[in-house]
Amino acid sequence: MPFGNSHNTLKMKFSSEQEFPDLSKHNNHMAKVLTPALYEKLRSKQTPSGFTLDDVIQTGVDNPGHPFIMTVGCVAGDEETYEVFKELLDPVIQDRHGGYKPTDKHKTDLNPSNLKGGDDLDANYVLSSRVRTGRSVRGFCLPPHCSRGERRAVEKLSVEALGALTGDLKGKYYALKNMTEAEQQQLIDDHFLFDKPVSPLLLASGMARDWPDARGIWHNDNKTFLVWVNEEDHLRVISMQKGGNMKEVFNRFCTGLTKIEELFKNKGHAFMWNEHLGYVLTCPSNLGTGLRAGVHVKLPNLSKYRQFEEILKRLRLQKRGTGGVDTAAVGGVFDISNADRLGFSEVELVQMVVDGVKLLVEMEKRLEKGQAIEDLMPAQK
Amino acid sequence: MASSFAKVMSSRTTGLIMASLGAGAVATGYLMSDNATVSADQRRKLYPPSADFPDLRKHNNCMASALTPAIYAKLRDKITPNNWTLDQCIQTGVDNPGHPFIKTVGMVAGDEESYEVFAEIFDPVIKDRHNGYDPKTMKHPTDLDASKIHSGVFDEHYVLSSRVRTGRSIRGLSLPPACSRSERREVERVTVQALAGLKGDLSGRYYSLTEMTEEEQQRLIDDHFLFDKPVSPLLTCAFMARDWPDARGIWHNNEKTFLIWINEEDHTRVISMEKGGNMKRVFERFCRGLKQVEHLIQERGWEFMWNERLGYILTCPSNLGTGLRAGVHVRLPKLSKDARFGKILENLRLQKRGTGGVDTAAVGDTFDISNLDRLGKSEVELVQLVVDGVNYLIECEKRLEKGQDIKIPAPIQQSRK
């Protein structure tokens, strides 16, 4: 929220007890970690850009909990948030990312030749393949905290950088506020258009302010590489195509990202990254790789199998409906992706998806024929 | 007690300026340290007001009509004593370009001082919204003497219920868009303590939203008393729903004719209501209740936000002055179908709504009819205006029933000097 650092100074006139939020009915990572003692310790701090503890936790205070998903309940307003409020965020990160310790180091690997296989997922089952991540531009505040001037500067930089892409990555930018009706319809039909967030998890953090100012979509002419500007993060980068050739999708993803990073560096801007947290994004759940590699896959039989959830868990995979997070599967088609983000490299995560989906499809085929699949049960990865 | 929450002029952000801002650091537009986000102070320099000016080209609200780049440049870096900024005032108007049928206000106050510190934008918005009322030159009259109302009992064949509402803010505490959790809790504490001192027909009970039982909740819903977390983006974009439902609640008297909402869109909303057409009694209870609550908080060193320029200070500029909406639910089956209905209401300075309140449609032939104005006329004047107007509407309805003709009344004079 755009409350200035000086507002925080004023709040110090009231005791920590008077200010401590009522979290008695809450179930999110922030609420589990934040004690009155910790609140008292951190409430006087702020990042250099003025992001405060209350700013970090507002979304978690306003949203007691999702019925099925343990939400994070806090966001970063800038890169320094993860440092200044590490006493809150480290345990949240540890809880969310499978025990990742404050001393752990995260490996980044965007070399697509390290991926084994992945070019032959059965297209009779795997309808589409997609890899997404996010990137933040160092020096600018993140979506919960940025001013209009900063957001516009991020847009301008991004459009310039993306405008320099060539070959199969060459494309065009569509600013949300300047789009024609025809362009808008085309982007909807292509499933590219993002709209103003409606989730209270996002709204409560202040990310939707000034919509649709400085928001837009860039995509290449082939419609296989797409960048969202200033939605939940500075940049969301997506590589996708129909069918099961995840290797090709990942190749393009890595090539594109590396090129974009180079173009930004030429303009004097690095992406936010450090060796402990990897790529720094708005939501702690997206730290590390920020990567979600997934497929839309037909699993009508396997999804009804009593151990479906257990299989996914062991493969470190997650299921969603084909509308994305918080949607239900339609017609036996699921969105299957990696559950992890931090503590594994990009290559490792995509490998898990490739290997895992291969196994799921095999199981589906067996069940179709009425055969058993117990012998195929995987061990916990 | 009041002193511990007294407004303190904050020192400027001098203590927070990063000492490391070197001489060469601010050369070109985007030059910044490789390793750090810009500090709050650097950001002010790097992004002049022109870089931050909102895009209001597709907007239709009072704020967008009044805000120029020049005004924005002048006010952007100012703060109120509670450290509230212009950007925070206007955020709701930036985020909500416009209601298709209603010209919304598009800005809110974070504290009493907002109306002073940002007067250059609030004054034209107030003028636009309140029919030319000029805060620079005019004074607003306050009159809560209910004995002055005449003919205030309506024909109950037509009028089903009568209601008067207003809001009150506790001086010294920030308003709902800006308040911290402890300020909001203090508003609750001060108000609940005062209400506990009400006696006789006004004696009642408080129901906190966080502690309400399921049964209490159901009963309050059945009584049409319960308010819920705002869903309107006009309100949520103004930061009013933060920390819901902490420190929010409903108080009402045992007779269910006097009701207070705590920490919804304002510190308090005060409502007097009853079935039937005795508007005079409703207003009498309204004034009596308000005066008693005011007295009770004054005993403990608190007071309501009020000044002679703007009357009672509330969160939304549309509610300044009296903050008063006096209305009835009235059946007008014939009149509502007459082509002149709209014009008659307009000339009487009345507004129609559906019986669900603002933004609802009428059900059957029953309408919510209330005063349009809030500022520039006193409470007594506005209630009398509603009384006279509703009596006129009923007259019209009766005439139409008998097949007689009706007349559009002459327009009521709008603002006073």
Side-chain angles (χ1 to χ4, degrees):
Chain A
M1 278 305 187
F3 289 106
N5 43 2
S6 43
H7 189 256
N8 201 50
T9 315
L10 191 86
K11 276 191 271 186
M12 295 308 297
K13 311 240 176 289
F14 310 129
S15 77
S16 174
E17 203 177 32
Q18 286 169 313
E19 281 290 344
F20 188 72
D22 180 352
L23 301 173
S24 53
K25 298 194 181 111
H26 285 57
N27 180 41
N28 56 51
H29 287 296
M30 179 279 291
K32 283 177 73 178
V33 172
L34 188 68
T35 60
L38 187 57
Y39 186 79
E40 174 147 28
K41 196 166 181 201
L42 296 178
R43 66 190 287 245
S44 58
K45 296 181 191 248
Q46 54 220 349
T47 68
S49 79
F51 205 62
T52 66
L53 177 64
D54 280 337
D55 292 330
V56 173
I57 67 172
Q58 191 68 57
T59 179
V61 174
D62 289 347
N63 296 288
H66 192 285
F68 308 132
I69 302 170
M70 179 82 161
T71 48
V72 175
C74 44
V75 291
D78 54 21
E79 194 167 8
E80 292 77 6
T81 303
Y82 289 102
E83 202 40 54
V84 173
F85 299 109
K86 66 193 294 55
E87 279 167 83
L88 168 68
L89 293 173
D90 278 349
V92 167
I93 288 166
Q94 190 153 0
D95 213 354
R96 177 61 175 215
H97 293 283
Y100 193 79
K101 296 192 290 298
T103 48
D104 284 341
K105 300 234 188 301
H106 169 83
K107 24 182 170 103
T108 293
D109 181 359
L110 283 160
N111 184 349
S113 56
N114 289 339
L115 181 70
K116 302 192 210 7
D119 52 352
D120 60 350
L121 299 173
D122 191 337
N124 291 315
Y125 294 84
V126 177
L127 307 177
S128 60
S129 308
R130 179 184 189 267
V131 182
R132 69 89 158 151
T133 188
R135 290 291 184 264
S136 309
V137 185
R138 181 162 280 163
F140 297 94
C141 290
L142 296 170
H145 192 48
C146 65
S147 65
R148 280 182 292 274
E150 280 184 296
R151 199 186 296 112
R152 290 161 177 172
V154 167
E155 183 192 36
K156 183 162 193 279
L157 257 175
S158 303
V159 172
E160 277 167 13
L162 295 166
L165 288 172
T166 57
D168 72 316
L169 292 178
K170 176 163 136 18
K172 202 187 137 175
Y173 182 67
Y174 303 85
L176 247 57
K177 65 177 180 178
N178 293 337
M179 223 173 260
T180 66
E181 289 251 9
E183 285 168 342
Q184 188 176 318
Q185 195 51 53
Q186 183 62 56
L187 288 163
I188 290 173
D189 295 339
D190 289 330
H191 306 287
F192 282 176
L193 189 64
F194 65 88
D195 206 355
K196 183 170 181 176
V198 293
S199 164
L201 301 174
L202 299 184
L203 296 175
S205 72
M207 290 183 213
R209 286 171 300 125
D210 315 312
W211 202 274
D213 196 312
R215 273 84 167 190
I217 289 162
W218 179 98
H219 70 79
N220 66 348
D221 299 334
N222 295 342
K223 297 187 184 177
T224 53
F225 195 66
L226 164 69
V227 179
W228 288 354
V229 179
N230 286 320
E231 192 236 11
E232 188 184 330
D233 279 294
H234 284 168
L235 302 170
R236 283 288 179 95
V237 180
I238 302 151
S239 170
M240 60 209 265
Q241 65 195 53
K242 293 241 180 279
N245 195 341
M246 181 60 91
K247 190 166 180 67
E248 196 171 72
V249 170
F250 188 55
N251 274 1
R252 183 187 313 115
F253 177 81
C254 296
T255 311
L257 265 178
T258 312
K259 281 222 164 63
I260 293 173
E261 183 157 19
E262 199 186 303
L263 290 163
F264 267 87
K265 282 221 177 90
N266 290 343
K267 294 184 179 303
H269 292 277
F271 288 146
M272 292 184 197
W273 180 94
N274 64 61
E275 59 173 9
H276 167 52
L277 296 177
Y279 288 101
V280 175
L281 294 177
T282 304
C283 181
S285 69
N286 282 319
L287 290 166
T289 59
L291 185 137
R292 192 171 93 84
V295 298
H296 283 186
V297 57
K298 288 197 268 204
L299 301 170
N301 293 293
L302 184 59
S303 55
K304 295 194 192 71
Y305 185 68
R306 71 188 184 289
Q307 285 194 290
F308 184 42
E309 309 276 352
E310 178 63 21
I311 292 166
L312 291 176
K313 180 168 164 290
R314 292 188 188 181
L315 293 174
R316 307 194 71 87
L317 297 177
Q318 176 188 66
K319 77 179 197 298
R320 298 181 183 190
T322 52
V325 69
D326 284 345
T327 66
V330 175
V333 180
F334 286 81
D335 175 319
I336 302 288
S337 64
N338 52 293
D340 303 297
R341 304 270 182 274
L342 174 68
F344 298 92
S345 74
E346 288 82 353
V347 166
E348 285 173 327
L349 291 176
V350 179
Q351 192 70 65
M352 273 191 235
V353 173
V354 159
D355 297 344
V357 169
K358 240 186 154 144
L359 179 62
L360 295 175
V361 169
E362 219 190 304
M363 287 177 158
E364 177 67 24
K365 285 173 171 168
R366 289 254 198 115
L367 289 173
E368 259 175 38
K369 297 186 203 132
Q371 294 167 354
I373 57 169
E374 277 83 4
D375 61 310
L376 292 178
M377 279 298 286
Q380 177 69 57
K381 276 194 186 286
Chain B
M1 199 164 312
S3 60
S4 65
F5 285 84
K7 306 181 298 289
V8 175
M9 279 302 292
S10 76
S11 60
R12 274 310 216 130
T13 53
T14 45
L16 300 165
I17 291 175
M18 302 312 288
S20 58
L21 185 65
V26 184
T28 57
Y30 306 124
L31 187 66
M32 45 197 92
S33 158
D34 269 345
N35 298 321
T37 310
V38 286
S39 72
D41 208 59
Q42 281 172 307
R43 183 161 81 175
R44 232 192 303 267
K45 295 192 170 74
L46 266 174
Y47 299 97
S50 55
D52 273 340
F53 188 74
D55 183 349
L56 301 171
R57 289 172 297 170
K58 296 195 181 112
H59 284 58
N60 179 40
N61 56 52
C62 299
M63 179 279 291
S65 300
L67 187 69
T68 63
I71 295 176
Y72 184 76
K74 205 165 169 195
L75 299 178
R76 185 193 72 163
D77 295 335
K78 293 194 186 226
I79 53 171
T80 69
N82 292 303
N83 303 83
W84 190 247
T85 65
L86 175 68
D87 279 332
Q88 286 156 351
C89 286
I90 66 172
Q91 190 68 60
T92 180
V94 175
D95 289 347
N96 296 289
H99 192 286
F101 306 133
I102 303 170
K103 189 167 185 185
T104 46
V105 175
M107 65 188 302
V108 293
D111 52 14
E112 190 167 6
E113 294 81 357
S114 295
Y115 288 106
E116 310 302 317
V117 175
F118 306 116
E120 265 173 272
I121 180 65
F122 271 109
D123 283 355
V125 164
I126 288 167
K127 210 168 175 181
D128 189 1
R129 178 59 177 218
H130 294 283
N131 308 302
Y133 184 88
D134 186 355
K136 286 195 278 290
T137 56
M138 296 179 179
K139 293 211 205 306
H140 169 80
T142 293
D143 184 356
L144 285 159
D145 181 358
S147 66
K148 293 178 181 162
I149 301 296
H150 59 83
S151 319
V153 183
F154 302 119
D155 184 337
E156 297 197 350
H157 182 66
Y158 299 91
V159 173
L160 309 175
S161 60
S162 308
R163 181 184 187 268
V164 182
R165 70 86 159 153
T166 188
R168 290 290 186 266
S169 310
I170 310 285
R171 177 163 278 163
L173 296 167
S174 300
L175 296 170
C179 65
S180 70
R181 278 181 293 273
S182 44
E183 285 184 293
R184 198 186 297 112
R185 291 163 178 172
E186 187 67 3
V187 168
E188 184 189 37
R189 195 192 61 77
V190 169
T191 309
V192 171
Q193 193 174 55
L195 293 168
L198 290 175
K199 300 194 189 355
D201 69 316
L202 292 180
S203 122
R205 226 203 98 165
Y206 181 62
Y207 301 86
S208 128
L209 248 57
T210 49
E211 289 163 14
M212 212 174 269
T213 66
E214 289 250 8
E215 284 145 348
E216 286 168 344
Q217 189 176 318
Q218 193 52 53
R219 206 215 1 104
L220 288 164
I221 290 172
D222 296 338
D223 287 332
H224 305 289
F225 282 173
L226 189 64
F227 65 89
D228 206 356
K229 182 170 182 177
V231 293
S232 165
L234 300 177
L235 300 183
T236 54
C237 292
F239 322 118
M240 290 186 211
R242 287 171 301 126
D243 315 312
W244 201 275
D246 196 310
R248 272 83 168 191
I250 289 161
W251 180 99
H252 70 79
N253 67 346
N254 299 328
E255 297 183 6
K256 298 186 185 177
T257 54
F258 194 61
L259 163 69
I260 318 268
W261 288 353
I262 295 177
N263 286 318
E264 192 236 12
E265 187 185 331
D266 279 294
H267 283 175
T268 67
R269 283 288 179 94
V270 179
I271 301 150
S272 171
M273 59 210 267
E274 59 184 68
K275 292 246 181 280
N278 200 335
M279 179 61 91
K280 186 170 166 87
R281 186 164 64 202
V282 167
F283 186 53
E284 181 276 324
R285 184 187 316 113
F286 177 82
C287 296
R288 188 162 47 88
L290 271 174
K291 291 202 194 100
Q292 285 187 27
V293 173
E294 183 160 22
H295 180 71
L296 287 160
I297 65 168
Q298 277 168 345
E299 276 180 346
R300 290 182 170 79
W302 298 91
E303 51 183 11
F304 290 142
M305 290 184 196
W306 179 94
N307 66 54
E308 58 174 11
R309 247 181 17 114
L310 298 174
Y312 288 101
I313 304 295
L314 293 177
T315 305
C316 181
S318 68
N319 284 319
L320 289 167
T322 61
L324 185 136
R325 193 170 91 86
V328 297
H329 282 186
V330 58
R331 292 188 321 105
L332 299 168
K334 292 191 150 44
L335 181 59
S336 58
K337 295 188 188 62
D338 192 291
R340 294 164 285 187
F341 186 40
K343 189 68 182 158
I344 293 172
L345 289 174
E346 192 189 310
N347 284 5
L348 293 172
R349 310 265 343 122
L350 295 176
Q351 177 188 59
K352 78 177 195 297
R353 298 181 183 192
T355 50
V358 71
D359 285 343
T360 66
V363 175
D365 306 308
T366 307
F367 290 82
D368 174 325
I369 302 288
S370 64
N371 53 295
L372 263 172
D373 304 309
R374 305 267 184 273
L375 173 67
K377 292 191 163 92
S378 75
E379 290 82 353
V380 164
E381 284 177 289
L382 290 175
V383 173
Q384 191 62 59
L385 187 148
V386 171
V387 164
D388 296 343
V390 170
N391 277 329
Y392 190 88
L393 295 175
I394 293 172
E395 264 315 296
C396 289
E397 183 68 25
K398 284 175 171 170
R399 290 179 72 85
L400 289 173
E401 273 171 21
K402 296 183 206 137
Q404 293 168 348
D405 198 19
I406 58 173
K407 275 207 314 233
I408 298 175
I412 291 175
Q413 184 197 14
Q414 287 191 23
S415 47
R416 52 189 277 148
K417 290 295 167 200

